[in-house]
């Protein structure tokens, strides 16, 4: 397996409850390296662009509202098989179905407020990273 980069967001429900350090500890414990990180606030337009793939879904409006409800921490994670590894660390989208020890099982409030995002494929990881980081902000 190759060294990959993936894009992560610690969502507003996580920053609100002061959980960024606790979540980063799980990320690092899994062997992923945080090689870029900044705290930002998504505009409505940025959230709509980021989640454009879900535009037709009934929860889209709620999803965008949730993502702009507070600051987020955007990150680039590096590691062996990083995309799948981080999805495993996140756990299932619905925290009620997530395995013990995963970020979503330990920290999520609900399906809509599930604490963190991780890219689902190399193509989406590249697009999402480029949306939020310039090359000189990523220090591997
Ligand atoms: P994931 O974040 O695991 O990649 P996704 O891409 O299917 O999941 O959905 C993006 C986010 O939208 C998800 O993290 C939480 C929210 N969401 C998904 N399904 C939902 C639903 N049925 N009701 C409310 N929010 C939902
Ligand atoms: Mg997704």
């Amino acid at each position: 397996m190759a060294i990959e980069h993936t894009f992560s967001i610690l969502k507003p429900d996580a920053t609100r409850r002061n959980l960024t350090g606790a979540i980063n500890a799980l990320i690092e414990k899994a062997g992923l390296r945080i090689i870029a990180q900044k705290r930002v606030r998504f505009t409505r337009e940025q959230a709509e662009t980021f989640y454009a793939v879900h535009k037709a879904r009934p929860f889209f409006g709620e999803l965008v509202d949730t993502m702009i409800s507070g600051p987020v921490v955007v990150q680039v994670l590096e590691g062996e098989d990083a995309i799948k590894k981080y999805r495993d660390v996140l756990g299932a989208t619905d925290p009620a179905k997530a395995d013990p020890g995963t970020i979503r099982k330990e920290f999520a409030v609900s399906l809509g407020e599930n604490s963190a995002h991780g890219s689902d494929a190399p193509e989406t990881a590249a697009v999402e990273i480029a949306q939020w980081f310039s090359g000189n902000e990523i220090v591997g």
Side-chain angles (χ1 to χ4, degrees):
M1 264 298 158
I3 297 288
E4 290 178 334
H5 288 174
T6 192
F7 181 72
S8 163
I9 307 174
L10 310 187
K11 297 185 180 184
D13 72 89
T15 63
R16 189 176 302 127
R17 289 176 293 145
N18 215 19
L19 290 172
T20 64
I23 294 174
N24 279 350
L26 290 185
I27 290 170
E28 292 182 335
K29 200 173 95 189
L32 293 163
R33 192 171 289 275
I34 302 164
I35 60 167
Q37 175 170 259
K38 60 188 174 188
R39 182 172 166 107
V40 298
R41 201 180 273 270
F42 275 30
T43 65
R44 181 169 293 279
E45 191 183 16
Q46 286 168 335
E48 286 173 354
T49 300
F50 186 79
Y51 277 122
V53 66
H54 294 309
K55 211 176 179 81
R57 309 286 287 278
F59 59 84
F60 183 69
E62 177 192 324
L63 173 58
V64 170
D65 286 346
T66 300
M67 291 302 290
I68 66 174
S69 68
V72 301
V73 175
V74 290
Q75 304 173 314
V76 180
L77 310 182
E78 179 181 80
E80 193 84 12
D81 204 12
I83 294 166
K84 182 183 182 299
K85 186 177 278 180
Y86 189 42
R87 295 289 304 195
D88 290 346
V89 174
L90 282 175
T93 305
D94 182 350
K97 297 180 183 148
D99 289 336
T102 61
I103 290 169
R104 285 163 168 173
K105 182 65 174 188
E106 299 305 317
F107 300 119
V109 178
S110 63
L111 176 54
E113 291 194 305
N114 59 4
S115 301
H117 162 87
S119 307
D120 57 14
E123 299 73 26
T124 48
V127 169
E128 291 171 2
I129 289 168
Q131 234 166 24
W132 283 100
F133 291 99
S134 58
N136 64 4
E137 291 178 306
I138 300 167
V139 185

